[in-house]
Amino acid sequence: MDRVDLAIVGGGVIGALIAREAVAAFPDATVAVLERGLIGQGASGRSAGVHFPRGTTERVRSMSEHSQWVWEHLAAELDLPIRAVGATVVAAGDADAVSATYLRLGDESAPARGRAVPPGSRAWDLDGCHYADVRAVAERVLAGLRDRVTVWEGTEVTDLSFDGEHHRLALGPGQELLARRAVLAPGPWIAHPAWAGLVAPLGLRVKKVVAAHLEEIPAPGDPLVVFHDEDAFLLPLHERGHYLFSYTCNRWDVTPDDIGLGLEPSDLDDARAALGRFAPGLVARCTSGRVFCDAYSLHREPVVAELLPGLVFAGAANGSGYRLAPAIAAETVAALDLTPIGATSPLPQRQA
Ligand SMILES: Cc1cc2nc3c(=O)[nH]c(=O)nc-3n(C[C@H](O)[C@H](O)[C@H](O)COP(=O)(O)OP(=O)(O)OC[C@H]3O[C@@H](n4cnc5c(N)ncnc54)[C@H](O)[C@@H]3O)c2cc1C
């Protein structure tokens, strides 16, 4: 049987960042990432990948600040597909709520600057925003760790058990893995039979997430426009040659294996209705999009929680799992004790 110090279940952006954080904190630890499909092809693969420095609670604001710092440094270090973008926050009025939420809010700007600003709204410049190809980010982060982290793709974790000392992971292809510590970073797969009972007390739910694509080529320098009151944004995807419109979809308790990857007719209707409130001129260009789902928490903050001794759940970032991934990873690794058991009894490594 293979043994590791740390098994990370889920090779999305959060699992990848946890792997990176773990080897940085515990360079001698043996680490494996178990991914039932391919790296970055769960929720991360559908993500709009927008980072804006904001948070409605002190913890999320601090996580946002930390994550921004990490993304900026990692982008340069690993040449990640992360692109800085200017941004405007638009709100109907309550300037106090806006300034309490955003960390790098600049001066109030002329509403005319954004193309999609409803009459009567106010607008502020927002610094520090970027967007990323999240699947490629997860792949590259793990590619840079391959000398220290074993990545098992096509490997579903089908069962989990704990003997009081080690976590035993049964793997789809028939192997077993024994881990001193384990992390569940399953994205929206919170109800997998292997851990549904352990995760249920967290009270998480899964919500459909939809972003429409607009057949409109962004002009150089077009900003990201964040509609604060509606929790929506309009993003110029320069390298893809179109805009993306993200709005709040309120379809709850979906399951990732059933949601499908195609839009339903009501998705485009909803997107057009929301877009029409900000930019009626773009409604006719709202013709396609991306759909998946994400895990949400009761308190709308990401969850890092120990389920059993040495077994930590990480995720449920409420549609913000890309932008907060570095901070989620830092909290997760802080919750794991991976100090060596003893230099004289290292755990055996995986056999080739
Ligand atoms: C359309 C859309 C737009 C979004 N836009 C943004 C945005 O602009 N900004 C932002 O910050 N966030 C955004 N999000 C949210 C963000 O993408 C997610 O919060 C984030 O990708 C979650 O990462 P994760 O690693 O937890 O999950 P995932 O990427 O889903 O990774 C979990 C992995 O676990 C694997 N897995 C599950 N079960 C098993 C098992 N039994 N064994 C082995 N592996 C397993 C899955 O295959 C999957 O690859 C968006 C999401 C969607 C769907």
Side-chain angles (χ1 to χ4, degrees), residues 31-57:
V31 179
V33 172
L34 294 314
E35 167 53 54
R36 73 175 198 165
L38 291 174
I39 295 305
Q41 295 192 0
S44 301
R46 317 297 289 182
S47 187
V50 170
H51 167 80
F52 24 60
R54 78 170 183 192
T56 51
T57 66

PDB file of all heavy atoms in Angstrom, residues 31-57:
ATOM      1  N   VAL A  31       3.605  14.367  -0.410  1.00  0.00           N
ATOM      2  CA  VAL A  31       2.279  14.920  -0.696  1.00  0.00           C
ATOM      3  C   VAL A  31       1.745  14.296  -1.980  1.00  0.00           C
ATOM      4  O   VAL A  31       2.481  14.168  -2.967  1.00  0.00           O
ATOM      5  CB  VAL A  31       2.351  16.463  -0.850  1.00  0.00           C
ATOM      6  CG1 VAL A  31       0.972  17.035  -1.185  1.00  0.00           C
ATOM      7  CG2 VAL A  31       2.917  17.115   0.409  1.00  0.00           C
ATOM      8  N   ALA A  32       0.468  13.919  -1.962  1.00  0.00           N
ATOM      9  CA  ALA A  32      -0.188  13.416  -3.186  1.00  0.00           C
ATOM     10  C   ALA A  32      -1.481  14.184  -3.404  1.00  0.00           C
ATOM     11  O   ALA A  32      -2.196  14.506  -2.456  1.00  0.00           O
ATOM     12  CB  ALA A  32      -0.487  11.925  -3.061  1.00  0.00           C
ATOM     13  N   VAL A  33      -1.759  14.493  -4.675  1.00  0.00           N
ATOM     14  CA  VAL A  33      -3.045  15.081  -5.056  1.00  0.00           C
ATOM     15  C   VAL A  33      -3.810  14.007  -5.819  1.00  0.00           C
ATOM     16  O   VAL A  33      -3.287  13.437  -6.789  1.00  0.00           O
ATOM     17  CB  VAL A  33      -2.849  16.334  -5.942  1.00  0.00           C
ATOM     18  CG1 VAL A  33      -4.187  16.826  -6.486  1.00  0.00           C
ATOM     19  CG2 VAL A  33      -2.156  17.444  -5.157  1.00  0.00           C
ATOM     20  N   LEU A  34      -5.025  13.725  -5.375  1.00  0.00           N
ATOM     21  CA  LEU A  34      -5.874  12.720  -6.017  1.00  0.00           C
ATOM     22  C   LEU A  34      -6.975  13.442  -6.771  1.00  0.00           C
ATOM     23  O   LEU A  34      -7.724  14.216  -6.172  1.00  0.00           O
ATOM     24  CB  LEU A  34      -6.522  11.797  -4.989  1.00  0.00           C
ATOM     25  CG  LEU A  34      -5.686  10.840  -4.125  1.00  0.00           C
ATOM     26  CD1 LEU A  34      -4.677  10.094  -4.963  1.00  0.00           C
ATOM     27  CD2 LEU A  34      -5.013  11.545  -2.975  1.00  0.00           C
ATOM     28  N   GLU A  35      -7.061  13.205  -8.063  1.00  0.00           N
ATOM     29  CA  GLU A  35      -8.042  13.911  -8.889  1.00  0.00           C
ATOM     30  C   GLU A  35      -8.771  12.882  -9.757  1.00  0.00           C
ATOM     31  O   GLU A  35      -8.139  12.160 -10.519  1.00  0.00           O
ATOM     32  CB  GLU A  35      -7.339  14.972  -9.741  1.00  0.00           C
ATOM     33  CG  GLU A  35      -8.169  15.559 -10.850  1.00  0.00           C
ATOM     34  CD  GLU A  35      -9.530  16.104 -10.394  1.00  0.00           C
ATOM     35  OE1 GLU A  35      -9.569  16.927  -9.481  1.00  0.00           O
ATOM     36  OE2 GLU A  35     -10.552  15.683 -10.966  1.00  0.00           O
ATOM     37  N   ARG A  36     -10.080  12.862  -9.648  1.00  0.00           N
ATOM     38  CA  ARG A  36     -10.806  11.807 -10.375  1.00  0.00           C
ATOM     39  C   ARG A  36     -10.829  12.050 -11.879  1.00  0.00           C
ATOM     40  O   ARG A  36     -10.991  11.124 -12.660  1.00  0.00           O
ATOM     41  CB  ARG A  36     -12.214  11.645  -9.833  1.00  0.00           C
ATOM     42  CG  ARG A  36     -13.159  12.738 -10.200  1.00  0.00           C
ATOM     43  CD  ARG A  36     -14.555  12.409  -9.700  1.00  0.00           C
ATOM     44  NE  ARG A  36     -15.526  13.214 -10.405  1.00  0.00           N
ATOM     45  CZ  ARG A  36     -16.818  12.980 -10.410  1.00  0.00           C
ATOM     46  NH1 ARG A  36     -17.316  11.967  -9.737  1.00  0.00           N
ATOM     47  NH2 ARG A  36     -17.641  13.750 -11.066  1.00  0.00           N
ATOM     48  N   GLY A  37     -10.694  13.311 -12.285  1.00  0.00           N
ATOM     49  CA  GLY A  37     -10.631  13.622 -13.715  1.00  0.00           C
ATOM     50  C   GLY A  37      -9.250  14.136 -14.064  1.00  0.00           C
ATOM     51  O   GLY A  37      -8.250  13.468 -13.829  1.00  0.00           O
ATOM     52  N   LEU A  38      -9.227  15.350 -14.649  1.00  0.00           N
ATOM     53  CA  LEU A  38      -7.956  16.006 -14.942  1.00  0.00           C
ATOM     54  C   LEU A  38      -7.849  17.262 -14.093  1.00  0.00           C
ATOM     55  O   LEU A  38      -8.868  17.860 -13.705  1.00  0.00           O
ATOM     56  CB  LEU A  38      -7.868  16.384 -16.427  1.00  0.00           C
ATOM     57  CG  LEU A  38      -7.756  15.220 -17.410  1.00  0.00           C
ATOM     58  CD1 LEU A  38      -7.836  15.744 -18.849  1.00  0.00           C
ATOM     59  CD2 LEU A  38      -6.460  14.445 -17.198  1.00  0.00           C
ATOM     60  N   ILE A  39      -6.638  17.682 -13.828  1.00  0.00           N
ATOM     61  CA  ILE A  39      -6.402  18.866 -12.997  1.00  0.00           C
ATOM     62  C   ILE A  39      -7.162  20.071 -13.560  1.00  0.00           C
ATOM     63  O   ILE A  39      -7.099  20.364 -14.762  1.00  0.00           O
ATOM     64  CB  ILE A  39      -4.882  19.187 -12.950  1.00  0.00           C
ATOM     65  CG1 ILE A  39      -4.116  18.065 -12.239  1.00  0.00           C
ATOM     66  CG2 ILE A  39      -4.604  20.535 -12.287  1.00  0.00           C
ATOM     67  CD1 ILE A  39      -4.591  17.732 -10.854  1.00  0.00           C
ATOM     68  N   GLY A  40      -7.864  20.753 -12.673  1.00  0.00           N
ATOM     69  CA  GLY A  40      -8.475  22.032 -13.036  1.00  0.00           C
ATOM     70  C   GLY A  40      -9.719  21.936 -13.891  1.00  0.00           C
ATOM     71  O   GLY A  40     -10.178  22.955 -14.420  1.00  0.00           O
ATOM     72  N   GLN A  41     -10.291  20.742 -14.016  1.00  0.00           N
ATOM     73  CA  GLN A  41     -11.441  20.633 -14.918  1.00  0.00           C
ATOM     74  C   GLN A  41     -12.774  20.473 -14.192  1.00  0.00           C
ATOM     75  O   GLN A  41     -13.773  20.088 -14.788  1.00  0.00           O
ATOM     76  CB  GLN A  41     -11.204  19.531 -15.940  1.00  0.00           C
ATOM     77  CG  GLN A  41     -10.036  19.908 -16.854  1.00  0.00           C
ATOM     78  CD  GLN A  41      -9.901  19.021 -18.067  1.00  0.00           C
ATOM     79  OE1 GLN A  41     -10.666  18.109 -18.278  1.00  0.00           O
ATOM     80  NE2 GLN A  41      -8.898  19.313 -18.879  1.00  0.00           N
ATOM     81  N   GLY A  42     -12.802  20.786 -12.897  1.00  0.00           N
ATOM     82  CA  GLY A  42     -14.067  20.855 -12.173  1.00  0.00           C
ATOM     83  C   GLY A  42     -14.607  22.279 -12.260  1.00  0.00           C
ATOM     84  O   GLY A  42     -14.595  22.900 -13.332  1.00  0.00           O
ATOM     85  N   ALA A  43     -15.062  22.811 -11.136  1.00  0.00           N
ATOM     86  CA  ALA A  43     -15.546  24.197 -11.130  1.00  0.00           C
ATOM     87  C   ALA A  43     -14.470  25.147 -11.637  1.00  0.00           C
ATOM     88  O   ALA A  43     -14.763  26.141 -12.320  1.00  0.00           O
ATOM     89  CB  ALA A  43     -15.989  24.583  -9.721  1.00  0.00           C
ATOM     90  N   SER A  44     -13.216  24.845 -11.316  1.00  0.00           N
ATOM     91  CA  SER A  44     -12.117  25.724 -11.743  1.00  0.00           C
ATOM     92  C   SER A  44     -12.082  25.881 -13.258  1.00  0.00           C
ATOM     93  O   SER A  44     -11.738  26.956 -13.768  1.00  0.00           O
ATOM     94  CB  SER A  44     -10.774  25.176 -11.240  1.00  0.00           C
ATOM     95  OG  SER A  44     -10.784  25.081  -9.837  1.00  0.00           O
ATOM     96  N   GLY A  45     -12.434  24.822 -13.969  1.00  0.00           N
ATOM     97  CA  GLY A  45     -12.374  24.862 -15.425  1.00  0.00           C
ATOM     98  C   GLY A  45     -13.453  25.705 -16.072  1.00  0.00           C
ATOM     99  O   GLY A  45     -13.369  26.033 -17.255  1.00  0.00           O
ATOM    100  N   ARG A  46     -14.486  26.048 -15.317  1.00  0.00           N
ATOM    101  CA  ARG A  46     -15.574  26.882 -15.856  1.00  0.00           C
ATOM    102  C   ARG A  46     -15.499  28.308 -15.320  1.00  0.00           C
ATOM    103  O   ARG A  46     -16.322  29.152 -15.673  1.00  0.00           O
ATOM    104  CB  ARG A  46     -16.941  26.310 -15.464  1.00  0.00           C
ATOM    105  CG  ARG A  46     -17.070  24.824 -15.584  1.00  0.00           C
ATOM    106  CD  ARG A  46     -16.927  24.319 -16.985  1.00  0.00           C
ATOM    107  NE  ARG A  46     -18.062  24.651 -17.832  1.00  0.00           N
ATOM    108  CZ  ARG A  46     -18.179  24.266 -19.101  1.00  0.00           C
ATOM    109  NH1 ARG A  46     -17.213  23.568 -19.652  1.00  0.00           N
ATOM    110  NH2 ARG A  46     -19.231  24.599 -19.814  1.00  0.00           N
ATOM    111  N   SER A  47     -14.554  28.556 -14.442  1.00  0.00           N
ATOM    112  CA  SER A  47     -14.535  29.819 -13.694  1.00  0.00           C
ATOM    113  C   SER A  47     -14.253  31.027 -14.589  1.00  0.00           C
ATOM    114  O   SER A  47     -13.492  30.927 -15.553  1.00  0.00           O
ATOM    115  CB  SER A  47     -13.439  29.726 -12.620  1.00  0.00           C
ATOM    116  OG  SER A  47     -13.481  30.826 -11.772  1.00  0.00           O
ATOM    117  N   ALA A  48     -14.850  32.158 -14.231  1.00  0.00           N
ATOM    118  CA  ALA A  48     -14.494  33.413 -14.896  1.00  0.00           C
ATOM    119  C   ALA A  48     -13.135  33.909 -14.399  1.00  0.00           C
ATOM    120  O   ALA A  48     -12.493  34.727 -15.046  1.00  0.00           O
ATOM    121  CB  ALA A  48     -15.565  34.466 -14.634  1.00  0.00           C
ATOM    122  N   GLY A  49     -12.733  33.444 -13.226  1.00  0.00           N
ATOM    123  CA  GLY A  49     -11.385  33.746 -12.733  1.00  0.00           C
ATOM    124  C   GLY A  49     -11.149  35.192 -12.363  1.00  0.00           C
ATOM    125  O   GLY A  49     -10.020  35.674 -12.426  1.00  0.00           O
ATOM    126  N   VAL A  50     -12.192  35.886 -11.939  1.00  0.00           N
ATOM    127  CA  VAL A  50     -12.008  37.297 -11.593  1.00  0.00           C
ATOM    128  C   VAL A  50     -11.561  37.421 -10.141  1.00  0.00           C
ATOM    129  O   VAL A  50     -12.100  36.754  -9.255  1.00  0.00           O
ATOM    130  CB  VAL A  50     -13.321  38.088 -11.790  1.00  0.00           C
ATOM    131  CG1 VAL A  50     -13.209  39.492 -11.204  1.00  0.00           C
ATOM    132  CG2 VAL A  50     -13.636  38.178 -13.273  1.00  0.00           C
ATOM    133  N   HIS A  51     -10.566  38.259  -9.956  1.00  0.00           N
ATOM    134  CA  HIS A  51     -10.199  38.656  -8.595  1.00  0.00           C
ATOM    135  C   HIS A  51     -10.508  40.138  -8.429  1.00  0.00           C
ATOM    136  O   HIS A  51     -10.035  40.966  -9.208  1.00  0.00           O
ATOM    137  CB  HIS A  51      -8.698  38.450  -8.335  1.00  0.00           C
ATOM    138  CG  HIS A  51      -8.261  39.141  -7.073  1.00  0.00           C
ATOM    139  ND1 HIS A  51      -8.473  38.601  -5.820  1.00  0.00           N
ATOM    140  CD2 HIS A  51      -7.709  40.351  -6.866  1.00  0.00           C
ATOM    141  CE1 HIS A  51      -8.052  39.447  -4.904  1.00  0.00           C
ATOM    142  NE2 HIS A  51      -7.582  40.517  -5.511  1.00  0.00           N
ATOM    143  N   PHE A  52     -11.346  40.451  -7.446  1.00  0.00           N
ATOM    144  CA  PHE A  52     -11.419  41.853  -7.016  1.00  0.00           C
ATOM    145  C   PHE A  52     -11.231  41.886  -5.512  1.00  0.00           C
ATOM    146  O   PHE A  52     -11.710  41.002  -4.793  1.00  0.00           O
ATOM    147  CB  PHE A  52     -12.709  42.578  -7.421  1.00  0.00           C
ATOM    148  CG  PHE A  52     -13.909  41.715  -7.676  1.00  0.00           C
ATOM    149  CD1 PHE A  52     -14.430  40.906  -6.699  1.00  0.00           C
ATOM    150  CD2 PHE A  52     -14.529  41.747  -8.913  1.00  0.00           C
ATOM    151  CE1 PHE A  52     -15.548  40.134  -6.934  1.00  0.00           C
ATOM    152  CE2 PHE A  52     -15.648  40.967  -9.161  1.00  0.00           C
ATOM    153  CZ  PHE A  52     -16.149  40.161  -8.167  1.00  0.00           C
ATOM    154  N   PRO A  53     -10.491  42.892  -5.043  1.00  0.00           N
ATOM    155  CA  PRO A  53     -10.175  42.926  -3.616  1.00  0.00           C
ATOM    156  C   PRO A  53     -11.380  43.411  -2.821  1.00  0.00           C
ATOM    157  O   PRO A  53     -11.590  44.612  -2.672  1.00  0.00           O
ATOM    158  CB  PRO A  53      -8.998  43.908  -3.536  1.00  0.00           C
ATOM    159  CG  PRO A  53      -9.087  44.753  -4.746  1.00  0.00           C
ATOM    160  CD  PRO A  53      -9.843  43.987  -5.788  1.00  0.00           C
ATOM    161  N   ARG A  54     -12.154  42.457  -2.324  1.00  0.00           N
ATOM    162  CA  ARG A  54     -13.324  42.856  -1.557  1.00  0.00           C
ATOM    163  C   ARG A  54     -13.715  41.768  -0.559  1.00  0.00           C
ATOM    164  O   ARG A  54     -13.302  40.624  -0.671  1.00  0.00           O
ATOM    165  CB  ARG A  54     -14.515  43.146  -2.463  1.00  0.00           C
ATOM    166  CG  ARG A  54     -15.227  41.931  -2.980  1.00  0.00           C
ATOM    167  CD  ARG A  54     -16.537  42.302  -3.661  1.00  0.00           C
ATOM    168  NE  ARG A  54     -17.250  41.115  -4.105  1.00  0.00           N
ATOM    169  CZ  ARG A  54     -18.292  41.133  -4.928  1.00  0.00           C
ATOM    170  NH1 ARG A  54     -18.721  42.273  -5.411  1.00  0.00           N
ATOM    171  NH2 ARG A  54     -18.894  40.028  -5.271  1.00  0.00           N
ATOM    172  N   GLY A  55     -14.523  42.173   0.407  1.00  0.00           N
ATOM    173  CA  GLY A  55     -15.037  41.224   1.385  1.00  0.00           C
ATOM    174  C   GLY A  55     -16.030  41.943   2.277  1.00  0.00           C
ATOM    175  O   GLY A  55     -15.832  43.115   2.616  1.00  0.00           O
ATOM    176  N   THR A  56     -17.094  41.229   2.634  1.00  0.00           N
ATOM    177  CA  THR A  56     -18.087  41.882   3.491  1.00  0.00           C
ATOM    178  C   THR A  56     -17.826  41.590   4.965  1.00  0.00           C
ATOM    179  O   THR A  56     -18.517  42.127   5.824  1.00  0.00           O
ATOM    180  CB  THR A  56     -19.515  41.435   3.118  1.00  0.00           C
ATOM    181  OG1 THR A  56     -19.532  40.011   3.087  1.00  0.00           O
ATOM    182  CG2 THR A  56     -19.920  41.973   1.756  1.00  0.00           C
ATOM    183  N   THR A  57     -16.870  40.713   5.269  1.00  0.00           N
ATOM    184  CA  THR A  57     -16.497  40.493   6.670  1.00  0.00           C
ATOM    185  C   THR A  57     -14.992  40.724   6.803  1.00  0.00           C
ATOM    186  O   THR A  57     -14.257  40.683   5.807  1.00  0.00           O
ATOM    187  CB  THR A  57     -16.806  39.056   7.130  1.00  0.00           C
ATOM    188  OG1 THR A  57     -15.949  38.157   6.410  1.00  0.00           O
ATOM    189  CG2 THR A  57     -18.267  38.683   6.882  1.00  0.00           C
TER     190      THR A  57
END
